Structure formats: structure tokens, C-alpha cells
Amino acid sequence: MTVIIAVSQVLTRLGIKTFLSVIGIEPEYKELAHLDELDSVIPPGSKSYLIIEQSLLVKPESEYLLNIAKKYSKSKILIIGNRVIKNCPCSHFVLNSDNRQEILEKFQDFFSEKDDTSTVNGAEDILSDRETEVLKEVAKGLANKEIADKLYISINTVITHRKNITEKLGVKTVSALTVYALMNKLITPEEAIK
Amino acid sequence: MSKYTLFSAQMKMADIVYHNYLLIPVLGRFGIKYGFRNRTVEEVCRQYNINTWFFLEIVNAYHNRDYFPTEKLRDFSFSDIIAYLVNTHRYFQKVKIPEIQVFIDKLMNSAPEENSKNIKLLDDFFKKYVEEIDLHFSHEEEDVFPYIEQIGQAIDSGNVAEELIERIINEPIEEYERQHDNLEIKLNDLKNLIIKYLPPHDNVELVQKLLTELFRVEIDLNDHSRIEEKVLVPKVKSFEQSILKKSGVSN
Ligand SMILES: [Fe+2]
Ligand SMILES: [Fe+2]
């Protein structure tokens, strides 16, 4: 997986990488300070994750973004800036005013494989078999990377499952997911993380 | 009087409580006791040595979630803000957490064996959460707040110690901001575990009380972090900058 960070400040780039490592994403990074170098880092037709600083966009922003989105149609785009861009072809925004939790959730959203428009079926809060399996490993204290290796799936898939699990169950923290798993006897007390 | 009315200094203190009983704990955090008679907000505040304007902004912000006078609140001294925050910590630790614990204990003791095991899981979850809260609070009180007080004193006196400058450079308030955990998330999880997944408990009233308590604490915690993040931190940031500027470290 390739993540392209087009952000002018080194500190911000570093911050982004830290957040991504927190959610277990360890991609190949390409860092840019200008957008005109995009061509040289994105191989045509490849699927990449683009993280772009809003102030690097040429105005009008939405038009400029539309061009980028068209050109690299397989890639996903996330904008970091002060406000949400109107009529923007992408729906992922991290705002400067966001707190830690919000940023984490937004990045998780960004890397989740789910289509932006699809939502979890509200009435169905029953986990799929695969989700149950992932939940068990989470409750045992495994990290995303370990779960991916164990279940032979990609990290993105793990993240997607985790996001769906959280949405369906309505609990977010690992310790609460563990309580849920124990209550429903998905794991034994010995297996649970202490 | 509507939800959007702002309380004023000339209003009767009793009317504040009549108007919104959820403010009862807020008054408690200021150390205000009852038996106001017809004294105004200003009179009662003077009696308790409370900065009336600070009291009013806090009460108004709590009463009306849309009213958050960040700018006005930043005008108050660090000591006023910190004293309020520390009182809130005590209120959580000495009043709210023990109350919730009592409810959980009662639930656990009155459930049949099988469900009692489930409640034990919630009990463990809550106890671990309380440990996190204690750590969070003591870090703030023992490290962050004293640092902020020092910043305030440096600005007031014009004397800046060398160590303070070093701290501003090496561990500015931004560091605290970045690591400031959201304590509400786990609380929310606990609520959801009870509402959705704990097998029905016969003592419905007890469960209701516990849930109501959790919802209230969540509002209180939210209000608390909002003051830390939106009032305290920005104020400290600007003070840090002006100290650095004055000492010629940055320009
Ligand atoms: Fe606090
Ligand atoms: Fe805090």
C-alpha cells in the first residue's frame, strides 16, 4: 500500500505518520511538499491513498481536486485543512480543529475499504462470521497487524471489520469489546486481555 | 425564561436552581451551600469569595450548550479556572464515582449467579476506568496545572526562570493537548454495554438509576474537558508565546 503525503510542513507529515501507525497502517510513504510532483510518485492506474494539505490546492479548490480525482481515479483522497471544501469530489476531511479522537476515527474511516456511500444496516446489529472472528482476536488483545497475519487478510480489511463491529455494537474501546466478547462467551476469561 | 436566557448577577441565586436543576452539582463544585434566601447571584458569590463573572460564565455555558464564551472565559485568571477544574476532579472522585460503584455493587449482589458474572465484568471494566481517571487527574494536578500556574506568575511578575523557558520549549502545553484523553468514550461504552447487552436485571429501578447517573456524569465530563481544551489550553499557548518572545527565544 502506498500513502502519499502532500503536506508542506515536516512536523505535520510526521504527525500524520504517527497517527497511521497508531491504527496499524504501515505503508510505503511518499512525501511531497508540492502537488506538481504527484505524477512522479503515483504510477498510473495504481491505487494509492493521497493525503493533501488544503493550502497546497490551486484555487478554485473543488475544480482542482476534481482534476486530481479524475486523473488518479483509483486513489482515495483525504484533505487536511481549516474547513470542509464545498462541492468537493472527496468526502474525507481532517480539520485543524479536530481532537485526537476525531482524527483517529477519520483516518480509520479513510483506510476502511467500505464504499463511502454504503452504510451499515441499522436494524442488523448481528456480526457476520468474519467480524465475529476479528472481534475475538481484538478481545484477546491482538493488534491489527497480528490479526491480519493470523486470518490471512489485509490490514485494511481488518480495519474495515473493526469499524463495522464498532458501528454495529455501539462500543468503541478494546476493553468494552472484550466485555462484550466475554458476556457472549466468544472467548474464555483466560483468553481475554487483562 | 427560555433555554437560551443567560443568567445575570442581579438574578436570585435560588432562581438558577429553579430554572435548571442540572446546575445543582455545578453550584456544589463552587462550594456553594443552600439557604440562599433572596440573595442575588452576586451577593452569594461575594459571600463565598467566588469571582461572580467567572461563576456566571461557567453556569451559562453549562446551561446552554450552544453558549460557550471561549473568549470571555479566557479573560479569567488561571487560578480561577484551575480551582474550578480541580474541584470538579474532586467531585468526580469523591462523589460521582463512589455513587456509581454503589449501584454496580448492588446490582451485582442482587442478581442470580449467571448474570452476576456479567455484572462482575462491568465492575472490572469500571474499576479499570476509574484507575485511568485517577491517573488522568493526578497528571493534570501534579504536573500540568502547576506548570500553568508558573506561566501565569511569570506573566504577572515579568520574571521568567530559565527552567520555565526550557519547559516551554521542550514540553509546551501542546504536548498535553495532544495526549489529552477523551474520558467520555469509555463511559459511553459502559452505558451501551448496560443498555444493549447486559441480560435483563430484575431490579429495573436500580438499572435506571445507574444509567441516569452515567448520562449525567458524561455531560459533566464533557463540560470539564471543554474548559480544559477550549479555554485553558489556548490561553496557555498565547502566554507561552509571549514569554518566549520577551525572553528573545523566538520572534
Ligand atoms: Fe481535568
Ligand atoms: Fe482532562
Side-chain angles (χ1 to χ4, degrees):
Chain A
M1 178 195 336
T2 311
V3 171
I4 291 134
I5 307 182
V7 167
S8 56
Q9 295 209 358
V10 180
L11 260 178
T12 317
R13 298 207 287 258
L14 216 70
I16 293 170
K17 290 197 247 176
T18 311
F19 269 109
L20 297 196
S21 78
V22 168
I23 56 175
I25 302 249
E26 282 156 9
E28 183 190 332
Y29 283 112
K30 301 217 166 124
E31 300 181 34
L32 313 172
H34 305 282
L35 282 176
D36 33 343
E37 298 157 33
L38 265 186
D39 272 335
S40 59
V41 292
I42 306 185
S46 76
K47 181 181 171 163
S48 313
Y49 293 84
L50 277 161
I51 299 177
I52 303 175
E53 181 185 330
Q54 191 173 355
S55 56
L56 293 181
L57 299 171
V58 178
K59 296 206 164 81
E61 292 167 336
S62 59
E63 233 168 81
Y64 188 72
L65 268 174
L66 197 62
N67 278 330
I68 296 184
K70 269 191 200 146
K71 200 163 171 190
Y72 311 106
S73 57
K74 288 221 176 76
S75 301
K76 283 179 94 174
I77 304 175
L78 177 144
I79 306 291
I80 300 186
N82 283 322
R83 66 204 145 70
V84 172
I85 300 171
K86 279 196 199 114
N87 308 322
C88 177
C90 62
S91 55
H92 296 276
F93 291 94
V94 168
L95 303 179
N96 294 330
S97 55
D98 284 344
N99 65 31
R100 204 166 85 120
Q101 191 58 35
E102 286 163 338
I103 297 176
L104 273 179
E105 280 171 16
K106 287 180 177 180
F107 275 131
Q108 244 158 23
D109 222 36
F110 182 52
F111 287 97
S112 116
E113 275 176 351
K114 231 175 34 177
D115 192 50
D116 289 334
T117 49
S118 74
T119 49
V120 175
N121 188 343
E124 286 305 319
D125 64 346
I126 299 154
L127 302 181
S128 71
D129 291 348
R130 205 52 166 169
E131 283 161 358
T132 307
E133 249 176 285
V134 171
L135 172 64
K136 280 186 196 172
E137 303 307 331
V138 171
K140 287 179 196 163
L142 265 64
N144 285 348
K145 178 84 177 63
E146 295 168 300
I147 300 174
D149 290 346
K150 193 167 172 185
L151 302 180
Y152 303 104
I153 50 182
S154 73
I155 286 218
N156 296 55
T157 312
V158 176
I159 294 174
T160 308
H161 284 315
R162 285 188 71 152
K163 191 167 163 274
N164 290 342
I165 292 168
T166 295
E167 274 175 24
K168 284 183 181 176
L169 299 184
V171 295
K172 289 184 171 171
T173 59
V174 173
S175 34
L177 289 170
T178 308
V179 171
Y180 174 88
L182 283 166
M183 270 189 186
N184 292 284
K185 305 206 164 52
L186 299 175
I187 56 167
T188 66
E190 291 72 40
E191 289 174 314
I193 34 165
K194 285 285 164 280
Chain B
M1 225 165 85
S2 86
K3 183 170 167 271
Y4 304 102
T5 323
L6 294 184
F7 301 115
S8 71
Q10 296 318 314
M11 199 175 254
K12 305 255 183 296
M13 186 63 100
D15 284 339
I16 290 190
V17 183
Y18 292 139
H19 192 73
N20 181 354
Y21 73 93
L22 289 175
L23 288 166
I24 290 173
V26 181
L27 265 59
R29 271 171 250 155
F30 277 99
I32 297 173
K33 298 188 183 113
Y34 293 87
F36 309 131
R37 296 180 172 270
N38 273 331
R39 284 197 286 272
T40 62
V41 168
E42 192 170 20
E43 286 163 345
V44 175
C45 281
R46 205 179 304 133
Q47 177 190 347
Y48 286 95
N49 236 329
I50 297 162
N51 181 333
T52 311
W53 306 113
F54 182 64
F55 172 81
L56 280 171
E57 295 301 348
I58 293 282
V59 164
N60 280 322
Y62 194 95
H63 172 61
N64 178 358
R65 305 302 294 171
D66 302 327
Y67 175 80
F68 196 61
T70 327
E71 299 293 327
K72 280 194 206 161
L73 279 169
R74 281 181 207 152
D75 283 342
F76 296 104
S77 72
F78 283 138
S79 337
D80 278 338
I81 304 173
I82 290 175
Y84 175 73
L85 291 172
V86 172
N87 278 341
T88 315
H89 288 173
R90 285 301 87 72
Y91 165 79
F92 287 130
Q93 290 174 314
K94 298 260 184 291
V95 183
K96 288 291 118 182
I97 291 171
E99 269 176 18
I100 292 172
Q101 187 62 61
V102 168
F103 284 134
I104 295 178
D105 289 345
K106 277 190 188 162
L107 279 179
M108 201 156 45
N109 295 332
S110 62
E113 167 86 31
E114 191 49 36
N115 208 11
S116 176
K117 274 187 209 154
N118 290 322
I119 301 166
K120 178 80 177 70
L121 292 172
L122 296 179
D123 182 53
D124 291 342
F125 179 85
F126 183 66
K127 288 205 165 88
K128 260 189 264 165
Y129 174 58
V130 171
E131 276 171 29
E132 281 171 33
I133 291 187
D134 287 343
L135 266 178
H136 182 118
F137 289 174
S138 64
H139 170 64
E140 286 175 347
E141 287 174 38
E142 284 158 25
D143 185 66
V144 183
F145 294 168
Y147 166 66
I148 295 175
E149 300 267 21
Q150 281 176 31
I151 294 268
Q153 281 155 14
I155 291 281
D156 288 345
S157 67
N159 296 327
V160 185
E162 199 56 46
E163 297 91 66
L164 189 61
I165 295 190
E166 258 167 52
R167 164 97 192 225
I168 298 177
I169 292 169
N170 296 322
E171 207 193 330
I173 200 71
E174 217 182 320
E175 205 62 40
Y176 161 73
E177 188 186 24
R178 196 173 309 142
Q179 295 174 7
H180 196 221
D181 285 321
N182 185 332
L183 292 173
E184 294 96 291
I185 295 180
K186 274 207 169 160
L187 198 64
N188 199 48
D189 279 358
L190 181 59
K191 265 169 32 192
N192 279 336
L193 285 170
I194 298 171
I195 296 175
K196 295 169 84 177
Y197 304 111
L198 180 68
H201 189 287
D202 285 340
N203 196 335
V204 180
E205 204 169 319
L206 206 53
V207 178
Q208 281 171 1
K209 279 185 187 158
L210 172 58
L211 280 175
T212 311
E213 212 44 64
L214 292 175
F215 273 98
R216 286 200 186 132
V217 171
E218 193 182 2
I219 297 176
D220 280 357
L221 267 179
N222 215 294
D223 185 69
H224 182 81
S225 330
R226 191 160 73 144
I227 292 173
E228 286 173 345
E229 287 171 9
K230 303 269 163 15
V231 179
L232 201 55
V233 167
K235 187 173 156 106
V236 176
K237 271 188 188 168
S238 79
F239 276 28
E240 282 176 339
Q241 285 317 310
S242 67
I243 289 177
L244 288 184
K245 214 180 242 174
K246 263 190 215 137
S247 344
V249 180
S250 79
N251 31 42

